[in-house]
């Protein structure tokens, strides 16, 4: 069983940056790929970005490309989401999740393990 703990959320101004962290433990992490999702009030949880533990390959939601970067530190079992040029519409709870490797990255039903989420608020 994989446990995930996010951190790094907070309040930032329009155009600012934040880096979220997701510390993973348990299970054989190389068998998983990691994803970041977000959920704004009244909206469905949506995919943001994904990275594979095995080779670091990444996949992004179109609106995240160029502003967000997902990375991993295998020595620390930690995945990061660097968010730049933040906008008020990026305000949401951000979740880290794990799915079996080689399953579809943007399908939230493929993810078996979820963190508790971290709030990101972008003020205008």
């Amino acid at each position: 069983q994989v446990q995930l703990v996010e951190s790094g959320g907070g309040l930032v101004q329009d155009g600012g940056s934040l880096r979220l962290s997701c510390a993973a433990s348990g299970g054989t992490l190389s068998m998983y790929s990691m994803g970041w999702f977000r959920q704004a009030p009244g909206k469905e949880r949506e995919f943001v970005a994904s990275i594979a533990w095995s080779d670091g390959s990444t996949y992004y939601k179109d609106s995240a490309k160029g502003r967000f970067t997902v990375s991993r530190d295998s020595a620390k079992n930690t995945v990061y989401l660097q968010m730049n040029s933040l906008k008020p519409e990026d305000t949401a709870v951000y979740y880290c999740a794990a799915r079996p490797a080689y399953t579809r990255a943007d399908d939230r039903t493929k993810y078996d393990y979820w963190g508790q989420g971290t709030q990101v608020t972008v003020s205008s």
Side-chain angles (χ1 to χ4, degrees):
Q1 185 142 357
V2 177
Q3 292 82 43
L4 304 170
V5 179
E6 301 101 331
S7 61
L11 175 64
V12 64
Q13 290 188 335
D14 191 354
S17 298
L18 279 176
R19 189 178 79 158
L20 306 182
S21 300
C22 173
S25 61
T28 303
L29 295 179
S30 60
M31 297 175 61
Y32 293 91
S33 288
M34 305 298 293
W36 285 98
F37 286 75
R38 67 186 184 186
Q39 188 167 17
K43 295 188 177 181
E44 290 192 354
R45 192 170 298 187
E46 64 174 359
F47 171 77
V48 176
S50 176
I51 188 167
W53 279 114
S54 58
D55 61 4
S57 57
T58 58
Y59 180 72
Y60 294 91
K61 174 183 173 72
D62 283 347
S63 62
K65 293 178 182 177
R67 296 194 301 130
F68 293 2
T69 303
V70 61
S71 62
R72 79 204 192 298
D73 184 333
S74 297
K76 296 181 179 180
N77 288 344
T78 300
V79 174
Y80 303 97
L81 184 67
Q82 177 68 44
M83 304 185 294
N84 298 326
S85 302
L86 283 163
K87 307 172 183 179
E89 51 264 42
D90 294 316
T91 295
V93 177
Y94 284 70
Y95 296 91
C96 173
R99 74 179 195 280
Y102 310 115
T103 55
R104 183 168 170 171
D106 59 355
D107 183 349
R108 66 184 183 185
T109 68
K110 302 300 184 186
Y111 288 81
D112 296 325
Y113 303 102
W114 293 83
Q116 81 287 355
T118 186
Q119 177 70 47
V120 171
T121 303
V122 184
S123 63
S124 56

